[in-house]
Amino acid sequence: MRRFVFVLEQTLGHVAHGRNLERALAARNTIEPTIIRIPYSTPSGLGSIPLARNWSVRASVAARRALKGISGPVEAAFIHTQVASLLSTGFMSRTPTVVSLDATPVNFDTEGEAYGHHRTAPAVEWLKREFNLRPLRSAACLVTWCQWAADSLVRDYGLDAAKIQVVHPGVDLSIFKPGDRSHGGDPVRVLFVGGDFIRKGGLELLNAARGLEEKIALEIVTNDAVEVPPGLTVNIHRGLAPQSEGLVRLFRESDL
């Protein structure tokens, strides 16, 4: 039995990714996993301090504290994402560590406006790059969800491409599999799942549905407020967690 440590950031789509990893680990009898979950937290009473408002700082502090509390030998570690690895280079120098990420900070700078993210002064951006470089260089291997992020690690951070593997996030087919779609005369059922309705294209979906001659039934999973235009058949589902029974049922019952 080989003992590995898994540090899993629990924000947005990373929650489902972490659950897939944990389910896969539970099915193996050759690995003794120690799972460290880093759930998203809002700034505490220190929220007035700029650094304390930064999720990267809060996540990496939590990961470092948890890793320091591990007793006994560990063969290797896996940290997802690099956000949780920033303050763990000491641990990484002693333990071979894979750092996994969906996007680099430079990637996020190009797409982050939809998340309310904006680039800062050049000097601050340089410091941010250097701070992120430390764990990226310390990692024994880097895993990215896509080639876009892998290319950024080479182009923007000067890392060796031989150190990087692209592993696309998978879908657990034992959970997400086709169900009964025999609706008879019912309209086509279209499922939308997105915590941030506007950023995920919800408005475009509503506008497209209004322009269709054939009526469709929209199943919308979100916790955002949604203003439904007249004439559309829309069911809004709130409070459904990733991979929950209700969410999986909607996937199985939908056509698209």
Side-chain angles (χ1 to χ4, degrees), residues 1-66:
M1 188 76 73
R2 311 179 73 176
R3 189 184 182 198
F4 296 160
V5 172
F6 294 81
V7 180
L8 305 176
E9 181 190 354
Q10 303 285 281
T11 61
L12 303 174
H14 303 305
V15 176
H17 184 58
R19 291 181 182 180
N20 287 340
L21 287 172
E22 291 190 48
R23 195 177 298 108
L25 288 168
R28 301 179 68 93
N29 57 11
T30 57
I31 296 175
E32 179 189 347
T34 297
I35 307 294
I36 298 172
R37 302 177 189 87
I38 308 296
Y40 182 79
S41 62
T42 55
S44 61
L46 300 176
S48 59
I49 302 174
L51 280 178
R53 294 199 300 267
N54 186 284
W55 167 236
S56 297
V57 173
R58 301 198 310 279
S60 54
V61 167
R64 181 183 182 182
R65 184 181 298 122

